[in-house]
Amino acid sequence: EVIYMKLELFYKESCPYCQKVLRFMEMNDIKDVELKDIVANPEFRDTLVEVGGKGQVPCLFIDSKPMYESMDIINFLKENN
């Protein structure tokens, strides 16, 4: 049984750690993650701070629970795709 999680990646273009995660997703054809650019849309940044308690990116929301650290995010995506 496949359980679908809601995945949202909060990121900003200028962040090398975000780029690392985005590159990994591109190379592995991961399409089921909603991308939220916190620079292009300040509301996303507000959500990130409200839910996660800080404005740190990259941050992957897994069913609205924040996960930080690019390698943790990449490992999660590896295991769950």
Side-chain angles (χ1 to χ4, degrees):
E1 183 189 348
V2 177
I3 299 166
Y4 288 100
M5 293 172 281
K6 183 174 188 215
L7 300 176
E8 302 163 284
L9 182 70
F10 290 77
Y11 76 101
K12 60 182 178 190
E13 287 291 337
S14 61
C15 163
Y17 297 104
C18 297
Q19 289 301 328
K20 187 160 98 173
V21 173
L22 293 168
R23 233 183 353 262
F24 172 83
M25 285 169 52
E26 202 177 300
M27 285 165 45
N28 293 276
D29 204 32
I30 297 171
K31 302 258 191 265
D32 57 346
V33 178
E34 197 178 328
L35 297 178
K36 300 203 163 182
D37 183 337
I38 67 167
V39 175
N41 188 336
E43 278 179 30
F44 293 156
R45 187 178 192 290
D46 294 345
T47 302
L48 178 62
V49 172
E50 269 168 41
V51 178
K54 52 187 173 179
Q56 179 185 327
V57 288
C59 180
L60 181 67
F61 276 24
I62 305 155
D63 289 333
S64 299
K65 284 170 63 183
M67 172 187 280
Y68 299 94
E69 300 306 325
S70 56
M71 281 318 297
D72 291 347
I73 293 170
I74 287 170
N75 288 331
F76 172 85
L77 292 172
K78 262 185 208 162
E79 287 163 25
N80 293 280
N81 241 329

